Amino acid sequence: MDHAFLWGVIALACGTVMIVYGATMFRVVLAFAGFYIGFGLVSAPLGTISRGPTPAAQTILAILPGAALGGVLYSFASLAVYAAGAILGLVLALFFASLVGIGGSWLLTVLALAGVGAGAFGGRYLGQWLTILSSAIAGAYFSVTGLALIFGAQAANGMMPVNARTLVVFALLAAISFLAQARTRNLRRSGAFIR
């Protein structure tokens, strides 16, 4: 099995969970986001090594830190606001890097870290909309990246390939997820759902 295809399946699965469950099951969303981020942090550098481990070994080596980071984010629910902001900042930084074409340089790392820091501390000003916005945008980004990798598109470090189709799908998924989660939140507030 091709490593890029497997990475695409993982990205699509994590993105789908984030889009569907969003703010209603945010701890689970944090676990999936942490898994994808941890998987990507290890998988991207391993994929650039010309005589590195086999794709199966790369996958196993990437799954372990992904599972660890997913478990950490799931366990620390008290930090959910900071984690949601950090995920939102990271995804916005990656989206910007995808648009500009910053692929495998040190500038991508700096941009990603700046996005994480700005999101973690600035995200709390979005209030109750933070978890919905974070899960909708991150889920759409991961899903589109996953679909692109599954269908053979090339993307540096697993970033979202940018063309008219991917941008339209990204915008549609993010908007649908955001609107559905906002509607669900409003119905819960009005007592339409019995817990």
Side-chain angles (χ1 to χ4, degrees):
M1 180 182 292
D2 184 21
H3 183 66
F5 179 80
L6 180 62
W7 192 347
V9 169
I10 289 172
L12 181 60
C14 292
T16 302
V17 168
M18 295 175 80
I19 286 172
V20 172
Y21 294 109
T24 57
M25 295 178 59
F26 196 69
R27 287 182 71 186
V28 173
V29 167
L30 283 177
F32 275 87
F35 178 79
Y36 178 74
I37 292 167
F39 183 86
L41 286 174
V42 173
S43 187
L46 285 177
T48 60
I49 301 172
S50 60
R51 293 185 183 195
T54 65
Q58 286 180 10
T59 302
I60 291 170
L61 289 173
I63 285 175
L64 295 175
L69 185 58
V72 166
L73 288 181
Y74 182 84
S75 298
F76 292 112
S78 61
L79 301 176
V81 172
Y82 297 106
I87 290 169
L88 179 61
L90 174 65
V91 170
L92 290 177
L94 291 176
F95 183 72
F96 176 75
S98 297
L99 287 175
V100 175
I102 302 170
S105 69
W106 60 271
L107 188 57
L108 175 62
T109 304
V110 171
L111 190 61
L113 290 175
V116 167
F121 294 105
R124 63 181 179 221
Y125 296 110
L126 293 173
Q128 60 186 346
W129 295 103
L130 175 63
T131 55
I132 293 173
L133 190 62
S134 175
S135 59
I137 290 177
Y141 183 88
F142 295 164
S143 295
V144 170
T145 301
L147 286 170
L149 290 170
I150 287 170
F151 289 109
Q154 298 297 319
N157 296 327
M159 292 175 44
M160 186 176 87
V162 176
N163 56 45
R165 282 180 256 170
T166 58
L167 291 175
V168 168
V169 173
F170 170 78
L172 284 174
L173 287 176
I176 290 168
S177 177
F178 180 82
L179 293 173
Q181 290 182 57
R183 179 73 176 148
T184 301
R185 191 199 73 202
N186 290 339
L187 288 173
R188 283 188 185 273
R189 280 185 162 177
S190 67
F193 291 130
I194 298 173
R195 294 184 184 207

